[in-house]
Structure formats: C-alpha cells, structure tokens
Amino acid sequence: MAYVDWAIKGPKIASCSCDYGCPCEFNGKPTEGLCEGLECMLIEEGWFGDLRLDGLKVAAVYRWPGPVHEGGGVVRGFFDANANQAQIDALFAILGGKEQEPTTVFNIYGSTIAQELEPIFALIEFHSDIEKRTGGFRIDGHLELELEPIRNPVTGALHRARIVLPEGFEFREAEIASGTFNANGEIAMGRQKRYGALWRAAYGPYGIIEE
C-alpha cells in the first residue's frame, strides 16, 4: 500500500511506573500492576509530504489499568505551541496511526487506547544527552520529567545499562536511566527513581527507520 512519505527523527525520552528495566520490555507484567508514565520527543528532522516538521516537540501522558496489551488505556497528547495548523494536522495523522502500516509503534499503542483526552498545545522545554543518560522535559502546569543515571545503591557509582531489542517496534536499543516525574490534570501521577529510557527515534510509514 502506498502512504504519504513522512518521517520523524530525533531524541526521545520516557519514564514509567515500573522498576528499572521495565518488565513490559520482556513480555512481563508491569511492576505495579498498572502502567502509567510519560514521554517526549524532539523532532530534529521531520516531514510529512512536502511539509517540514523540523524542531517541533510532542509529548504524552498515559495510563493503562493493567498490562498495555490488555487495553483500556487513557492518553493525552501535548503539541508544540509553535506548530502551525498544517503541522498540527500532520502530527495528528502520524501519531494517530494514519498513513502507516498497522505494525508501527503509533498503531500498536493506539489500538490499546480506550479514551483519548483533548490535546493541549503548549511550550515544551526539552533536553537530552543520551550518552550521559540525562534528560528531561517540562510543560508548565502539566508535566515534568527528569532523567539521571542509575546509581549503585551501595557505592553511589553511576550504573550503566542498555536494553537491546533487535526486533523492537519502539526502539532497537535504549540507554536506561532513573526517572522522576509528575503529571497534573485528569491523568495525575508522581514517581521517583523509576524506569527511564533515552534513545534516538526514527519512524516512518513502515515503522523504525534503520540508520
């Protein structure tokens, strides 16, 4: 099937309520039974047809009552206030699972969502250093995440770990970090020292773009 030519590429960060490593990445059950967290991506390079998406940021906060694959999730998207209407429409199409194979990350997660709250358009502050396992983002009054390296509980030394998924649909390899995050509103939550991940994302109509 032919799709609109599109791509979004750039650093992506996320954190959830699970212990470091996140059992979900290994087809296990979420640490706390439910799954909740947030994520953000800086689109350093992106397009949808002839429309450029460079420099825009997108974020989301989500909650599933149990394992993600069992569905029943609720999500709210956050879109860069600097985006114009054409760019917003393009991002809605991409993140909504349109113009892409059903095996892509947005289609897979989208199939588990039962309720999608009204999106919010706001300024998104973002920073990420994948090699150092540090990063974070902030949307004033709504979401905040800070990532730092995991530390050895005895010595305090920095501990480095990666998850490698050769056939993963969200990432092939990610640096693992310690996340502290808060969310306000209808999907309110707060966690300290939970699973965090940083990676360079590259997605297109057929899923991950190998770079």
Side-chain angles (χ1 to χ4, degrees), residues 99-115:
E99 295 296 337
Q100 57 198 280
E101 291 288 293
T103 53
T104 60
V105 60
F106 305 121
N107 231 306
I108 290 172
Y109 278 118
S111 69
T112 70
I113 298 299
Q115 182 182 12

Side-chain angles (χ1 to χ4, degrees), residues 2 9 22 25 35 61 82 84 138-139 173 179 199 203 208:
K9 304 177 182 182
C22 185
E25 302 293 355
C35 176
V61 59
N82 294 315
N84 61 40
R138 184 173 184 272
I139 303 174
E173 182 175 313
W199 68 99
Y203 305 123
I208 289 178

Side-chain angles (χ1 to χ4, degrees), residues 55-110:
L56 298 178
K57 307 179 192 79
V58 291
V61 59
Y62 50 78
R63 175 182 290 131
W64 286 271
V68 174
H69 68 273
E70 293 182 359
V74 57
V75 64
R76 167 165 273 153
F78 293 80
F79 294 84
D80 199 321
N82 294 315
N84 61 40
Q85 189 58 55
Q87 291 171 324
I88 291 169
D89 292 342
L91 291 172
F92 278 4
I94 292 170
L95 302 178
K98 299 177 182 178
E99 295 296 337
Q100 57 198 280
E101 291 288 293
T103 53
T104 60
V105 60
F106 305 121
N107 231 306
I108 290 172
Y109 278 118

Side-chain angles (χ1 to χ4, degrees), residues 7-14 40-47 52 54-56 105-106 126-134 147 160 162-163 165 168-176 196-204 207-211:
I8 54 173
K9 304 177 182 182
K12 189 173 183 180
I13 60 177
C40 187
M41 178 177 178
L42 165 61
I43 303 172
E44 290 181 333
E45 181 184 11
W47 63 85
R52 299 301 303 189
D54 303 350
L56 298 178
V105 60
F106 305 121
F126 178 94
H127 63 101
S128 173
D129 188 322
I130 297 174
E131 182 69 17
K132 292 181 178 179
R133 290 99 70 208
T134 61
L147 295 174
R160 188 168 196 174
R162 292 185 182 130
I163 293 179
L165 301 172
F169 61 85
E170 187 171 20
F171 60 77
R172 300 284 197 245
E173 182 175 313
E175 292 283 351
I176 305 308
L198 309 90
W199 68 99
R200 285 204 62 83
Y203 305 123
I208 289 178
I209 299 171
E210 303 290 355
E211 293 190 307

